[in-house]
Amino acid sequence: MRYLLVDRIMDLDKGSRIEGIKNAAMSEDCLEFHFPGNPIMPGIMLLEALVQLAGWLEAVSSDFEKWFLLSKVLKCNFYGFVLPGDQVQLRVGVSTAPSQDLRIYSGIGEVAGKRKIKVEFQGNLVSLGSIEEVEEQRSFYQILTRKLKL
C-alpha cells in the first residue's frame, strides 16, 4: 500500500522551501485502528507527509530529475494530536548539507496555527526516473498545484 500524504502544494521557492496541505480524513486507512473509537493521525504519517513534500521540492527544483529519500531523522517533536477533519499546514525548508547528494531539511506541521510536529531530517537525492515514471509525476504535480503548466 502506498500513502500519498500531500493533498495540495501551496507555495514553492525552488531549491529553498515548499508549503503544502495534508487533510486528515476519517476515511483514511491509518485512522481505523489508531485508535478504535478515538481516531488520531499517527505521528509517523505527519513525518512522512513532510518527507514527501521534500521530495516534491527536489523534483521541481531539478526539473524532475531528482527525488529525496529519507535516511535519518535527526530531531522530531510532537505537540498534540491531529484529528479527523483537521487540515495540517506543512512547511519544509532546506538546511545546510555537507555534500551535493545529501540533503538536510527542517519541517513543521500546524493545525489552525498550533504546532503539531517539528522535525529535522536528512537523506539522499536519487534519480526520479529510477523509482517513478517522470511524466506521471509531472502530471501529478500539476494536480497538486492546480497548475496547467510547470
Side-chain angles (χ1 to χ4, degrees), residues 32-47:
E32 184 177 355
F33 300 106
H34 194 269
F35 297 94
N38 187 27
I40 297 167
M41 177 67 71
I44 194 68
M45 300 302 258
L46 296 174
L47 173 62

Side-chain angles (χ1 to χ4, degrees), residues 19-37:
E19 296 181 18
I21 291 174
K22 166 65 184 141
N23 295 306
M26 187 63 191
S27 60
E28 294 188 67
D29 293 341
C30 63
L31 294 179
E32 184 177 355
F33 300 106
H34 194 269
F35 297 94

Side-chain angles (χ1 to χ4, degrees), residues 60-135:
V60 174
S61 299
S62 67
D63 194 30
F64 291 85
E65 290 184 15
K66 301 284 184 183
W67 189 261
F68 172 76
L69 291 181
L70 179 71
S71 63
K72 187 176 191 179
V73 176
L74 303 170
K75 288 190 252 184
C76 187
N77 295 92
F78 296 99
Y79 298 94
F81 299 120
V82 173
L83 305 173
D86 284 347
Q87 185 175 74
V88 185
Q89 308 265 333
L90 305 167
R91 291 190 310 273
V92 172
V94 177
S95 299
T96 304
S99 75
Q100 195 77 338
D101 286 333
L102 179 69
R103 289 286 193 272
I104 298 176
Y105 299 92
S106 58
I108 190 166
E110 297 176 331
V111 174
K114 294 183 180 177
R115 185 182 299 164
K116 300 298 178 177
I117 182 174
K118 184 177 179 185
V119 64
E120 188 174 24
F121 54 93
Q122 76 179 33
N124 298 91
L125 299 184
V126 299
S127 167
L128 178 58
S130 70
I131 58 172
E132 296 284 352
E133 283 290 326
V134 173
E135 290 309 312

Side-chain angles (χ1 to χ4, degrees), residues 128-146:
L128 178 58
S130 70
I131 58 172
E132 296 284 352
E133 283 290 326
V134 173
E135 290 309 312
E136 282 182 14
Q137 296 308 300
R138 284 182 192 273
S139 295
F140 192 42
Y141 176 75
Q142 290 177 358
I143 293 167
L144 290 174
T145 59
R146 310 297 197 270

